[in-house]
């Protein structure tokens, strides 16, 4: 027993007994931060009936870094529970009234926090084994006090130590603690200094081959990128531009001579660079970029030219101030023949920072967000670079101008070249989720502390107890966990993809998860801002800057509408290939038959079942989500085929079906996330955490079904009673997840110093 904080020291002093619930709440599964414990200390010490000796006991119980032992907490909880029995007399008097006035403490609040953990479910029943070895959904998990760190390690695997190292650097190194509100020029220089610190730690070369100082594994770089996204997003983006895009293009598109000449300097920031793909007039249409690279055999050089202002490279990070070399994507021409888009290394500045002859550089100026990034426009007026500056992994040009490639098809060569850069989409998806974690941590902690409008007796309740607040935050908290598991699965697959078919599957998933996660981030940040009320509008809480900075994630690495269509095209192509023996469009009937057979056993309409056990059955979830995806796939295939058969151009047919294609793509991503989440439940480190995560999983899947109830009703998969049952169950699940919300945001493992004055640690103004 923890002697200095044994409940006996308080039980022996009757004046201290009303404080027992406060002391338990300070260290329970949704435990307080040091700032919140400081507030408790200050509030308790000022209580008029508390003497100095009692205050010293309280101080011992609220010492940061020295939590009570599990035995002490269990004894304290047991005593508090005894006082909450329905037949127990109120520990009445002015003391209880004083606590209610100061802290809004109510018996009903305590029962909700304590009684479910006593071993009963929502209905007070005993737990029984479920299909996957866990308790039946609805049971509150026992014994999870203090498991935030355990959950954090589980979520951070397999790079917990690396992530922790980066977070510690972000929390302590002044170079990464960039203050808000700096003038743009100063902000840009501070961001550059932060990148120098990261490069000095070796983070810029982690994915390089071992012979160039790296690990040969792309996953550590993604882990660093994802972790940096908990902090200043300008630092994140500049890190990604320099080491992911510029360095990555050399690594992935170049050959050994390029690696020898450039990789070390790119990874150490000795050679700041740019990634010049996007043009003002084309945006996502990389295939039709207009910058040209014409080979001149007389000088053995490529001549890089911007034919008109709309072909200028735009929004190029590192271009306006710091970049010295750019990877420029241009149409390669030899002897008057076009060979499609290729990448070239083009110097743009001298070592003194001045533009080189023929290179024009403009500053994009202030932006909605990310003003620590020096985005600029580049144009080239007959800029000459040596033939060796062609990044020639997939195509080469001899000194006489002869063009050769191991991939004969120009279209296939183009997509193969772009597929090597899929890591950018994976990284943006991961970073978007980190931004979501920051916002939700701020909002959940704040909403759990902020009290207002209670019952008629004047007592206030935490705003996190309001159903609408739970509805705003808990499904997004669940989606952040689900998408996190999906991205982890994607990253694991990214490290060992060799088979062409596996690579295509990876590209589709990366595109879909990038689009979905970036949309989710903006929704989560906005919901978090609103949940924090006026306090969330304060700049110091980061929610406003986070929203502005993360907004571009929906455009980075491909605009989301384009990526969703890429996902849908990939699904159509893959199914057509898998079912080639049926003919190009014979798959439609097959898909309908297969989907119908799968759903007939499980769907709520066919079985007329809408109870919790059925609606929380993961087999039902899998069947419903798979049926939706397959039916959407079959129906959009029919729509496209019908239009094309009537003579419509395929482009027009796709354009008319864009909404359908996006619906299919989103359904596919939600299915991936549900599968990844369910698979991860079996790896949870403790039974208590497994049960908490199972509840979070249920909430994620059922909110996705609820959000698409119109489709499920139209598809005759469920009837109105089942639809209402889903809505009712989602409300209840929001309450169940709310009981563990503190644990879940602790599981993100974001230090307070990185959160930077979050609203959850301040009283509302």
């Amino acid at each position: 027993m923890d002697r200095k904080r044994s409940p006996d020291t308080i039980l022996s002093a009757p004046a201290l007994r009303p404080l027992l619930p406060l002391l338990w709440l300070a260290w329970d599964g949704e435990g307080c931060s040091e700032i919140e414990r400081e507030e408790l200390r200050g509030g308790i010490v000022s209580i008029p009936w508390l003497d100095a000796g009692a205050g010293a006991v309280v101080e011992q119980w609220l010492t940061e870094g020295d939590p009570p032992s599990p035995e002490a907490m269990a004894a304290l909880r047991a005593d508090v529970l005894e006082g909450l029995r329905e037949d127990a007399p109120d520990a009445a008097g002015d003391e209880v009234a004083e606590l209610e006035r100061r802290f809004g403490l109510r018996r009903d609040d305590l029962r909700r926090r304590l009684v479910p953990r006593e071993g009963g479910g929502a209905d007070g029943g005993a737990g029984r084994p479920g299909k996957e070895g866990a308790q039946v959904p609805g049971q509150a998990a026992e014994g999870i006090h203090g498991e935030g760190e355990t959950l954090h390690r589980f979520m951070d695997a397999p790079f917990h130590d690396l992530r922790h190292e980066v977070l510690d650097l972000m929390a302590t190194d002044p170079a990464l603690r960039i203050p808000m509100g700096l003038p743009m020029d100063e902000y840009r220089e501070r961001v550059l200094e932060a990148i120098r610190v990261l490069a000095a730690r070796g983070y810029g070369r982690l994915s390089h081959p071992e012979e160039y100082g790296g690990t040969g594994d792309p996953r550590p770089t993604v882990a660093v990128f994802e972790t940096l996204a908990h902090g200043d997003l300008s630092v994140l983006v500049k890190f990604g531009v320099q080491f992911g895009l510029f360095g990555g293009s050399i690594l992935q598109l170049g050959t050994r001579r390029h690696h020898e000449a450039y990789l070390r300097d790119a990874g150490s920031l000795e050679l700041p660079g740019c990634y010049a793909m996007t043009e003002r007039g084309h945006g996502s249409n990389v295939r039709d970029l207009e910058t040209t690279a014409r080979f001149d055999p007389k000088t053995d050089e490529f001549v890089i030219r911007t034919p008109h202002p709309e072909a200028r490279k735009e929004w190029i990070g590192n271009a306006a101030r710091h970049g010295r070399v750019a990877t420029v994507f241009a149409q390669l021409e030899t002897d008057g023949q076009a060979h499609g888009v290729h990448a070239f290394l083009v110097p743009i500045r001298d070592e003194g920072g001045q533009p080189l002859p023929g290179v024009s550089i403009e500053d994009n100026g202030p932006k909605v967000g990310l003003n620590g990034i020096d985005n600029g426009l580049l144009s080239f007026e007959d800029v000459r670079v040596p033939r060796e500056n062609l990044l020639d992994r997939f195509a080469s040009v001899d000194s006489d101008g002869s063009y050769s490639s191991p991939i004969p098809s120009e279209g296939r060569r183009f997509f193969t070249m772009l597929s090597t850069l899929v890591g950018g989409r994976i990284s943006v998806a991961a970073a978007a989720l980190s931004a979501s974690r920051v916002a939700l941590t701020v909002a959940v902690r704040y909403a759990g502390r902020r009290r207002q409008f209670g019952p008629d007796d004047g007592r206030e309740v935490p705003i996190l107890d309001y159903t609408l607040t739970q509805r705003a935050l808990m499904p997004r908290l669940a989606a952040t966990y689900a998408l996190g598991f999906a991205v982890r699965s994607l990253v694991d697959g990214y490290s060992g993809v060799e088979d062409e078919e596996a690579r295509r599957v990876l590209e589709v998933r990366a595109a879909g998860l990038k689009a979905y996660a970036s949309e989710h981030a903006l929704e989560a940040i906005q919901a978090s801002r609103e949940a924090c009320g006026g306090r969330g509008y304060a700049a110091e809480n980061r929610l406003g800057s986070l929203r502005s900075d993360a907004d571009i994630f929906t455009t980075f690495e491909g605009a989301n509408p384009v990526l969703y269509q890429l996902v849908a095209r990939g699904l159509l192509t893959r199914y057509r290939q898998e079912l080639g023996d049926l003919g190009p469009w014979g798959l439609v009937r097959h898909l309908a038959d297969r989907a119908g057979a799968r759903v007939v056993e499980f769907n709520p309409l066919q079985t007329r079942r809408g109870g919790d056990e059925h609606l929380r059955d993961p087999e039902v979830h899998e069947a419903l989500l798979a049926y939706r995806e397959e039916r959407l796939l079959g129906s959009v295939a029919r729509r496209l085929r019908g239009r094309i058969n009537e003579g419509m151009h395929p482009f027009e047919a796709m354009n008319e079906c864009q909404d359908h294609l996006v619906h299919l793509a989103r359904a596919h991503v939600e299915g991936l996330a549900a599968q990844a989440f369910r698979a991860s439940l079996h790896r949870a480190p403790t039974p208590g955490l497994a049960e908490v995560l199972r509840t979070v999983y249920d909430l994620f899947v059922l909110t996705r079904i609820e959000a698409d109830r119109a489709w499920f009703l139209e598809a005759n998969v469920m009837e109105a009673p089942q639809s209402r049952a889903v809505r009712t169950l989602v409300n209840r699940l929001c309450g169940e997840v709310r009981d563990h919300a503190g644990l879940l945001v602790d599981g993100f493992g974001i230090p307070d110093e990185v959160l930077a004055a979050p609203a959850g640690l301040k009283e509302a103004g």
Side-chain angles (χ1 to χ4, degrees), residues 141-417:
E142 298 184 21
I144 61 169
H145 166 67
E147 289 204 12
E149 177 61 23
T150 303
L151 179 58
H152 177 208
R153 286 181 173 274
F154 173 57
M155 298 303 298
D156 270 3
F159 297 107
H160 172 78
D161 290 345
L162 176 61
R163 295 174 191 274
H164 180 75
E165 178 183 296
V166 175
L167 282 172
D168 185 63
L169 188 68
M170 294 167 66
T172 59
D173 194 305
L176 279 85
R177 305 286 296 157
I178 302 175
M180 292 183 174
L182 294 176
M184 186 172 70
D185 288 344
E186 184 179 352
Y187 189 11
R188 289 174 172 181
E189 295 309 310
R190 287 293 303 268
V191 170
L192 178 64
E193 180 58 29
I195 301 304
R196 287 197 180 101
V197 170
L198 297 171
R201 290 290 190 112
Y203 298 145
R205 58 176 182 267
L206 284 173
S207 61
H208 294 178
E210 293 182 8
E211 60 191 298
Y212 301 108
T215 66
D217 184 349
R219 295 178 301 164
T221 296
V222 177
V224 171
F225 189 82
E226 180 179 8
T227 306
L228 288 173
H230 293 110
D232 190 305
L233 293 187
S234 285
V235 173
L236 168 86
V237 172
K238 199 171 186 77
F239 180 93
V241 168
Q242 175 66 31
F243 305 122
L245 294 178
F246 176 61
S249 64
I250 296 170
L251 176 64
Q252 299 291 344
L253 299 179
T255 49
R256 187 172 185 84
R257 65 182 176 187
H258 302 110
H259 299 168
E260 291 285 350
Y262 299 104
L263 267 188
R264 287 187 179 86
D265 287 348
S268 66
L269 199 60
E270 289 297 317
L271 181 65
C274 312
Y275 184 81
M277 176 183 281
T278 301
E279 291 180 359
R280 168 165 285 189
H282 289 85
S284 298
N285 185 12
V286 178
R287 185 197 290 270
D288 291 330
L289 296 178
E290 294 182 277
T291 300
T292 59
R294 177 180 52 80
F295 182 66
D296 183 353
K298 296 178 181 178
T299 61
D300 203 28
E301 294 172 318
F302 286 102
V303 182
I304 312 298
R305 186 170 186 274
T306 303
H308 55 78
E310 287 299 297
R312 287 177 296 174
K313 302 294 183 180
E314 187 173 35
W315 296 114
I316 309 304
N318 270 2
R321 176 167 293 190
H322 299 134
R324 296 215 322 263
V325 174
T327 298
V328 176
F329 288 80
Q331 301 284 353
L332 189 155
E333 299 177 5
T334 61
D335 195 24
Q337 185 175 0
H339 300 285
V341 174
H342 292 66
F344 304 81
L345 292 175
V346 182
I348 60 173
R349 281 187 177 87
D350 61 26
E351 293 191 4
Q354 295 303 308
L356 291 170
V359 179
S360 296
I361 303 175
E362 300 175 51
D363 196 321
N364 277 121
K367 305 181 290 292
V368 170
L370 297 178
N371 282 303
I373 304 298
D374 52 322
N375 294 96
L377 296 95
L378 296 175
S379 59
F380 307 94
E381 185 64 35
D382 295 334
V383 174
R384 290 177 173 268
V385 297
R387 178 168 53 89
E388 290 76 14
N389 283 29
L390 168 66
L391 295 175
D392 58 354
R393 178 180 176 185
F394 299 113
S396 61
V397 175
D398 292 337
S399 59
D400 62 357
S402 300
Y403 177 88
S404 62
S405 171
I407 307 174
S409 165
E410 178 180 322
R412 185 180 166 202
R413 184 169 60 247
F414 171 75
F415 285 110
T416 300
M417 178 184 68

Side-chain angles (χ1 to χ4, degrees), residues 321-641:
R321 176 167 293 190
H322 299 134
R324 296 215 322 263
V325 174
T327 298
V328 176
F329 288 80
Q331 301 284 353
L332 189 155
E333 299 177 5
T334 61
D335 195 24
Q337 185 175 0
H339 300 285
V341 174
H342 292 66
F344 304 81
L345 292 175
V346 182
I348 60 173
R349 281 187 177 87
D350 61 26
E351 293 191 4
Q354 295 303 308
L356 291 170
V359 179
S360 296
I361 303 175
E362 300 175 51
D363 196 321
N364 277 121
K367 305 181 290 292
V368 170
L370 297 178
N371 282 303
I373 304 298
D374 52 322
N375 294 96
L377 296 95
L378 296 175
S379 59
F380 307 94
E381 185 64 35
D382 295 334
V383 174
R384 290 177 173 268
V385 297
R387 178 168 53 89
E388 290 76 14
N389 283 29
L390 168 66
L391 295 175
D392 58 354
R393 178 180 176 185
F394 299 113
S396 61
V397 175
D398 292 337
S399 59
D400 62 357
S402 300
Y403 177 88
S404 62
S405 171
I407 307 174
S409 165
E410 178 180 322
R412 185 180 166 202
R413 184 169 60 247
F414 171 75
F415 285 110
T416 300
M417 178 184 68
L418 293 187
S419 72
T420 62
L421 306 175
V422 70
R425 287 173 182 164
I426 297 174
S427 297
V428 171
L433 294 179
S434 293
S436 305
R437 294 182 188 109
V438 170
L440 289 166
T441 300
V442 170
V444 166
R445 290 181 178 173
Y446 180 80
R449 292 276 295 157
R450 180 70 162 94
R451 293 173 179 269
Q452 64 180 21
F453 305 124
D456 291 339
D457 59 11
R459 291 172 293 181
E460 295 183 318
V461 299
I463 60 175
L464 196 54
D465 287 352
Y466 292 146
T467 297
L468 287 179
T469 305
Q470 293 174 8
R471 273 282 190 164
L473 297 180
M474 297 304 104
R476 292 179 171 93
L477 184 58
T480 300
Y481 267 85
L483 293 167
F485 285 121
V487 170
R488 288 286 188 276
S489 176
L490 187 66
V491 171
D492 289 343
Y494 175 48
S495 63
V497 174
E498 296 180 2
D499 175 75
E500 183 175 344
E501 176 58 26
R503 188 167 58 246
R504 284 198 294 266
V505 170
L506 179 74
E507 292 165 17
V508 167
R509 292 181 176 179
L513 277 167
K514 180 270 174 184
Y516 199 102
S518 58
E519 287 181 353
H520 163 74
L522 292 185
E523 293 171 0
I525 294 168
Q526 180 63 24
S528 296
R529 209 295 298 156
E530 293 181 20
C532 291
R535 195 72 197 127
Y537 205 61
E540 64 181 342
N541 295 319
R542 287 189 58 203
L543 294 172
S545 61
L546 194 65
R547 179 178 55 192
S548 296
D549 289 347
D551 193 4
I552 196 62
F553 287 169
T554 63
T555 304
F556 270 168
E557 298 295 329
N560 286 354
V562 175
L563 294 186
Y564 278 134
Q565 291 176 79
L566 185 154
V567 172
R569 287 173 181 266
L571 295 174
L572 286 164
T573 299
R574 193 173 75 215
Y575 274 100
R576 191 161 59 241
Q577 290 171 342
E578 289 177 356
L579 302 171
D581 290 343
L582 299 178
W585 297 94
L587 64 93
V588 174
R589 185 182 301 106
H590 173 84
L591 289 175
D593 293 343
R594 184 173 69 177
R598 177 180 292 177
V599 82
V600 73
E601 180 182 354
F602 294 109
N603 83 63
L605 172 66
Q606 296 284 350
T607 59
R608 296 298 193 270
R609 296 167 65 192
D612 284 8
E613 184 177 357
H614 181 64
L615 293 178
R616 297 183 73 167
D617 185 341
E619 299 293 335
V620 173
H621 300 159
E622 182 176 332
L624 288 173
L625 295 181
Y627 175 70
R628 178 180 60 166
E629 180 179 339
E630 290 175 350
R631 180 155 173 173
L632 285 168
L633 180 56
S635 58
V636 77
R638 287 194 299 273
R639 288 183 67 191
L640 290 169
R641 182 59 176 172

Side-chain angles (χ1 to χ4, degrees), residues 603-612 614-615 624 702 705-706 709 712-714 716-730 732:
N603 83 63
L605 172 66
Q606 296 284 350
T607 59
R608 296 298 193 270
R609 296 167 65 192
D612 284 8
H614 181 64
L615 293 178
L624 288 173
L702 288 167
I705 292 172
E706 181 193 38
R709 281 185 299 162
F712 284 107
L713 287 165
E714 289 176 354
N716 206 28
V717 176
M718 63 172 64
E719 292 179 324
Q722 287 80 29
S723 176
R724 289 192 293 270
V726 169
R727 183 185 63 213
T728 300
L729 180 53
V730 167
R732 190 159 67 252

